């Protein structure tokens, strides 16, 4: 396999580089069917072309990288042995979808991936019949594959096969074991490919990871497997008594070496470990799975970043690296930034300071240590840092248990992933009125990651719970005071913040008091009430309207409880009121303000709600998406002008 000196990311900037001459095999694929007729040498060439495309992509933008390099041969083997125009394939999670897209007719569109209007960085059924689910959250592939198989049988199409590809990082998710329990009971045809690269986004954690390590490194079993494979090369693949004897012997040895055999005891045949970078070997086992009956788990061992030396050596950094300009990935393309640190770093530093001064504070994350920038916290406080893997429901219930003992846990999880623990937020935290602090990173638009990752719904799904207090900082220096408030508050709290540079104000934050907003700018013509980081755009809009309109800007801080006195004051002024938030309109901050106004029997006709519409927002640059949906500075300015023209006080 070529090392890094075979790839030149810098060439991707030239549109002619992505051409028939550069990648002739990929360019010729209208769909995946020609792969089935290719020789082993041709498939090796296709794999090299795929890796070249992936490496060149890094010259143009950040993208999921190491995980895609690791599944190239697995992807080719799957498409060689199954016809996924009819058979079913679910990738879990979908960020390893790039090779699949390249061999299913999307090579010529691939330069557009993760750009607005271009290919999505995750599976997208709107792009291709080869994509069945928009899988951006981990763990659900086995469940959906079982459902697909069940539906095909009921629809009298039993010949259609179902395959779920799931990584070892996602495998400990609770829903996976719910699905395995069901699969073993149904005993229907199903192939589960466990892609074991010893990684999640960061290094995986937990007992399941240790169990897989034992399966993978057991020298006696691995050696025996190799001998069985050699013998299988000389006997008919199916039906032959010798093959059946070998299979029975193999299963017996596994049971003797590895005790109860977790998968076998669940009624799922276990096969492996298999070298995931040997296309021929994988084709042999995938063919066996396709022609066998009942559920089967193929344990495939791959290397994250395979074929590109820097990514293989540092797969954590190269999970979603910045764009690079040279072959050795040592010179980064400068990212677009206003120079301010992101909210994530401010949150991390605030958490670290709280843990330094209060030994009852713990931090819990769900396989997102790197995404939440918590590595320094993990190093400094290993006894109070808990990474539970991709198990958000467990993370929240675990935090509730710690609370009962007198600890003060902080649950630091992306907004979009915290949804997975909704029942535990309800039952174990809010219902028990336990002071768990939820830090909701990536709340708002996440740019090129798209609809599976935008954190648009947490305002609505958190504020409905009794006992819950919901906050959002509008600028950098008030995040830590909010965390101070949350840790002193004897009820559950949530703090949301986006994947964005934090607004820096030359301003000392007012004391954070429950349900109290902060007025940052006075004005007599109208008011913008901003909840969260959209305050940046609101303040800029008010400033640029100087001389045209005199706009008051209020930093709401709380959506629950909302500042009812503030609502009464701004609505009774007779001027227009515009609410702004980077979240879904339904159930959001604007809805909360309207609810407050109605409860106080105020006239709501001059209230305008600026929020994201009732639809799933596609991927694109955050600034462009804000503009497209009426939340940029320019859009807020125009909303102020429009409302001023309708204001009878202004017109008089």
């Amino acid at each position: 396999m070529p090392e890094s000196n075979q790839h030149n990311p810098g060439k991707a900037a030239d549109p002619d580089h992505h051409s028939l001459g550069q990648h002739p095999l990929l360019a010729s694929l209208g769909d995946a069917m020609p792969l089935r007729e290719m020789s082993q040498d041709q498939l090796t060439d296709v794999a090299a072309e795929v890796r070249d495309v992936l490496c060149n992509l890094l010259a143009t933008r950040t993208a999921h990288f190491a995980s895609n390099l690791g599944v190239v041969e697995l992807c080719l083997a799957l498409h060689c042995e199954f016809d996924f125009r009819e058979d079913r394939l679910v990738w879990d999670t979908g960020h390893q979808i790039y090779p699949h897209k390249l061999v299913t007719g999307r090579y010529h569109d691939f330069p557009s991936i993760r750009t607005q209007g271009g290919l999505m960085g995750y599976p997208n059924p709107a792009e291709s019949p080869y994509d069945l689910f928009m899988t951006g959250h981990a763990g659900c592939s086995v469940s959906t594959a079982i459902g697909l198989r069940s539906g095909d049988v009921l629809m009298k199409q039993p010949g259609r096969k179902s395959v779920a590809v799931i990584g070892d990082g996602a495998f400990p998710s609770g829903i996976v074991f719910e699905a395995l329990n069901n699969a073993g009971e149904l005993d229907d045809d199903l192939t589960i490919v466990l892609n074991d690269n010893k990684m999640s986004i960061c290094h995986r954690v937990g007992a399941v990871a240790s169990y897989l390590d034992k399966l993978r490194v057991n020298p006696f079993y691995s050696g025996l497997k190799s001998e069985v494979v050699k013998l299988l090369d000389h006997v008919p693949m199916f039906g032959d008594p010798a093959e059946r004897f070998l299979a029975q012997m193999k299963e017996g040895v596994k049971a003797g070496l590895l005790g109860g055999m977790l998968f076998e005891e669940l009624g799922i045949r276990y096969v492996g470990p298999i070298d995931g970078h040997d296309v021929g070997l994988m084709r042999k086992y995938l063919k066996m799975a396709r022609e066998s009956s009942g559920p089967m788990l193929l344990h495939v061992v791959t290397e994250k970043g395979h074929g590109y030396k820097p990514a293989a050596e540092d797969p954590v950094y190269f999970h979603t690296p910045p764009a690079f300009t040279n072959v050795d990935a040592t010179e980064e393309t400068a990212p677009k930034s206003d120079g301010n640190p992101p909210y994530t770093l401010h949150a991390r530093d605030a958490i670290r300071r709280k843990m330094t001064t209060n030994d009852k504070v713990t931090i819990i994350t769900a396989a997102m240590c790197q995404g939440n920038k918590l590595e320094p916290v993990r190093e400094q406080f290993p006894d109070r840092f808990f990474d539970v893997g991709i198990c958000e429901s467990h993370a929240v219930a675990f935090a509730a248990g710690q609370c009962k003992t007198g600890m003060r846990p902080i649950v630091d999880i992306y907004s979009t992933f915290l949804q997975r623990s909704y029942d535990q937020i309800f039952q174990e935290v809010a219902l028990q009125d336990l002071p768990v602090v939820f830090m909701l990173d990536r709340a708002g638009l996440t740019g090129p990651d798209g609809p599976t990752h935008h954190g648009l719904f947490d305002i609505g799904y958190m504020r409905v719970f009794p006992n819950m207090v919901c906050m959002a900082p509008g600028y950098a220096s008030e995040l830590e005071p909010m965390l101070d408030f949350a840790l002193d508050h004897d009820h559950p709290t949530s703090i949301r913040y986006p994947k964005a540079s934090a607004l820096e104000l030359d301003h000392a934050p007012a004391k954070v008091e429950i349900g109290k907003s902060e007025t940052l700018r006075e004005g007599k013509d109208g008011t913008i009430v901003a909840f969260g980081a959209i305050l940046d755009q609101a303040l800029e809009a008010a400033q640029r309207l100087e001389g045209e309109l005199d706009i008051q800007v209020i930093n709401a801080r709380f959506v629950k409880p909302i500042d009812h006195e503030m609502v009464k004051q701004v609505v009774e002024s007779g001027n227009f009121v515009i609410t702004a938030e980077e979240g879904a309109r339904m159930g959001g901050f604007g809805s909360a303000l309207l609810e407050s106004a109605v409860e106080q029997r105020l006239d709501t006709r001059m209230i305008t709600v600026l929020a994201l519409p009732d639809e799933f927002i596609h991927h694109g640059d955050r600034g462009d998406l804000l503009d497209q949906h009426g939340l940029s500075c320019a859009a807020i300015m125009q909303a102020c002008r429009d409302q001023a023209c309708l204001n009878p006080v202004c017109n008089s």
Side-chain angles (χ1 to χ4, degrees):
M1 189 57 57
E3 294 290 0
S4 62
N5 62 353
Q6 298 298 312
H7 305 294
N8 187 354
K11 292 183 180 179
D14 178 2
D16 294 332
H17 175 65
H18 195 78
S19 65
L20 179 64
Q22 184 66 28
H23 307 117
L25 292 171
L26 285 177
S28 69
L29 295 176
D31 60 26
M33 293 308 293
L35 294 173
R36 298 162 67 92
E37 306 303 322
M38 287 186 181
S39 67
Q40 184 64 43
D41 288 343
Q42 287 176 309
L43 290 173
T44 299
D45 290 341
V46 172
E49 289 187 9
V50 170
R51 287 194 168 88
D52 188 65
V53 172
L54 296 178
C55 290
N56 279 282
L57 179 65
L58 280 190
T60 62
R61 68 190 64 97
T62 181
H64 291 104
F65 187 57
S67 55
N68 282 290
L69 290 172
V71 299
V72 174
E73 287 82 9
L74 172 58
C75 173
L76 297 179
L78 284 164
H79 282 289
C80 284
E81 294 304 322
F82 293 86
D83 178 1
F84 290 116
R85 299 171 305 174
E86 294 295 325
D87 296 329
R88 314 294 201 163
L89 176 61
V90 184
W91 290 91
D92 184 341
T93 62
H95 62 235
Q96 57 187 337
I97 197 72
Y98 296 10
H100 169 86
K101 291 198 177 198
L102 285 167
V103 301
T104 54
R106 285 170 276 183
Y107 166 79
H108 295 287
D109 293 327
F110 195 76
S112 71
I113 197 165
R114 287 171 61 87
T115 63
Q116 192 162 3
L119 295 179
M120 185 180 291
Y122 292 85
N124 185 0
E127 291 177 8
S128 170
Y130 280 100
D131 296 2
L132 297 181
F133 286 90
M134 207 178 284
T135 50
H137 290 191
C140 295
S141 60
V142 183
S143 295
T144 52
I146 296 170
L148 286 164
R149 176 59 185 170
S150 174
D152 285 337
V153 171
L154 293 172
M155 293 293 291
K156 312 300 183 187
Q157 300 183 72
R160 303 182 84 165
K161 304 297 183 181
S162 285
V163 180
V165 181
I166 182 167
D168 53 322
F171 202 78
S173 300
I175 190 173
V176 174
F177 287 87
E178 295 175 20
L180 294 175
N181 178 63
N182 188 221
E185 180 184 31
L186 292 176
D187 196 32
D188 210 342
D189 296 351
L190 173 71
T191 300
I192 303 166
V193 178
L194 173 55
N195 176 30
D196 180 3
N197 57 27
K198 299 184 285 183
M199 296 287 296
S200 179
I201 292 175
C202 302
H203 292 282
R204 65 190 184 185
V205 296
V208 172
S210 299
Y211 178 72
L212 295 179
D213 289 341
K214 291 177 182 178
L215 292 178
R216 180 167 31 80
V217 303
N218 187 293
F220 178 45
Y221 174 57
S222 298
L224 179 64
K225 176 186 69 65
S226 299
E227 295 306 313
V228 170
V229 171
K230 291 177 183 178
L231 288 171
L232 286 174
D233 285 334
H234 302 289
V235 299
M237 195 62 194
F238 301 102
D240 187 277
E243 193 277 336
R244 288 198 297 272
F245 169 74
L246 286 171
Q248 291 167 359
M249 180 182 70
K250 179 176 161 184
E251 301 309 313
V253 170
K254 286 192 307 187
L257 287 173
L258 300 169
M261 283 301 303
L262 173 63
F263 308 117
E264 302 283 349
E265 293 295 333
L266 288 172
I268 299 168
R269 184 180 178 191
Y270 171 88
V271 177
I274 304 163
D275 181 358
H277 300 297
D278 186 330
V279 175
L281 183 63
M282 280 194 297
R283 290 188 66 176
K284 179 187 293 290
Y285 280 102
L286 287 168
K287 180 180 180 183
M288 178 177 70
R290 174 168 52 82
E291 298 184 4
S292 298
S293 61
M296 178 181 292
L297 186 143
L298 300 182
H299 184 181
V300 174
V301 178
T302 61
E303 178 188 45
K304 200 169 184 180
H306 188 77
Y308 186 65
K309 187 175 181 180
E313 292 178 346
D314 191 356
V316 175
Y317 179 74
F318 279 90
H319 176 71
T320 315
F324 290 98
T325 58
N326 70 332
V327 65
D328 295 320
T330 56
E331 296 180 13
E332 300 179 11
T333 300
K336 291 195 300 181
S337 172
D338 58 11
N340 292 337
Y343 280 97
T344 299
L345 288 183
H346 287 283
R348 185 272 311 279
D349 292 342
I351 291 168
R352 192 176 182 180
R353 284 189 285 269
K354 298 312 120 186
M355 295 182 73
T356 299
T357 58
N358 186 345
D359 60 9
K360 291 185 178 180
V361 176
T362 65
I363 181 72
I364 303 165
T365 188
M368 296 304 295
C369 180
Q370 184 199 36
N372 291 326
K373 307 299 182 186
L374 293 171
E375 295 97 332
V377 179
R378 178 182 61 193
E379 293 170 9
Q380 186 173 351
F381 303 103
D383 293 340
R384 287 186 280 145
F385 175 91
F386 301 92
D387 185 347
V388 301
I390 306 178
C391 303
E392 292 82 1
S393 294
H394 169 66
V396 173
F398 177 73
Q402 284 195 342
C403 262
K404 277 287 187 179
T405 71
M407 300 300 290
R408 297 304 299 257
I410 300 170
V411 175
D412 194 355
I413 294 178
Y414 289 9
S415 166
T416 185
F417 297 145
L418 190 63
Q419 294 159 182
R420 295 157 61 93
S421 62
Y422 196 63
D423 189 56
Q424 286 67 44
I425 299 171
F426 167 23
Q427 292 283 324
E428 276 63 53
V429 177
L431 183 61
Q432 318 297 328
D433 197 14
L434 293 172
V436 175
V437 178
F438 294 96
M439 302 284 283
L440 280 67
D441 203 336
R442 307 307 202 264
L445 296 164
T446 58
D449 283 331
T452 61
H453 280 55
H454 293 322
L456 307 185
F457 309 112
D458 58 89
I459 300 173
Y461 75 66
M462 293 298 274
R463 79 179 185 93
V464 298
F465 290 125
N467 301 321
M468 185 71 70
V469 172
C470 302
M471 297 173 279
Y475 52 97
S477 57
E478 68 172 349
L479 195 156
E480 186 163 355
M482 285 188 174
L483 182 56
D484 286 334
F485 168 86
L487 289 170
D488 288 337
H489 190 63
D490 290 330
H491 308 277
T493 55
S494 71
I495 304 172
R496 76 184 311 258
Y497 47 93
K499 182 183 182 181
S501 296
L503 173 64
E504 304 278 1
L505 292 182
D506 186 15
H507 163 79
K511 181 181 178 181
V512 176
E513 299 179 81
I514 188 166
K516 295 298 180 182
S517 60
E518 179 187 37
T519 300
L520 294 177
R521 180 188 177 101
E522 300 287 351
K524 59 182 176 57
D525 293 331
T527 299
I528 304 171
V529 185
F531 181 61
I534 203 71
L535 178 67
D536 191 353
Q537 285 74 15
L539 284 170
E540 184 181 356
Q543 182 178 356
R544 290 172 61 181
L545 284 169
E546 282 184 357
E548 181 181 350
L549 290 170
D550 189 16
I551 304 298
Q552 178 179 230
V553 179
I554 294 176
N555 175 24
R557 288 188 163 180
F558 290 83
V559 64
K560 183 184 181 184
I562 198 167
D563 190 339
H564 296 288
E565 293 180 9
M566 175 271 291
V567 174
K568 180 178 174 62
Q569 178 185 355
V570 299
V571 174
E572 286 189 335
S573 71
N575 298 318
F576 67 82
V577 178
I578 293 175
T579 70
E581 63 195 290
E582 193 175 343
R585 179 186 304 271
M586 290 190 173
F589 175 78
S591 294
L593 187 141
L594 284 166
E595 290 164 11
S596 174
V598 169
E599 288 174 7
Q600 298 181 73
R601 299 186 180 277
L602 304 175
D603 186 343
T604 62
R605 288 178 293 175
M606 294 305 295
I607 299 174
T608 298
V609 175
L610 299 183
L612 293 164
D614 185 28
E615 62 186 60
F616 291 106
I617 309 300
H618 291 289
H619 58 288
D621 177 80
R622 176 176 178 259
D624 292 341
L625 293 175
L626 288 174
D627 188 46
Q628 181 180 336
H629 296 289
L631 288 168
S632 64
C633 171
I636 295 173
M637 290 173 64
Q638 189 58 50
C640 290
R641 294 188 182 107
D642 292 344
Q643 293 309 305
C645 291
L646 298 174
N647 191 338
V649 175
C650 179
N651 289 337
S652 65

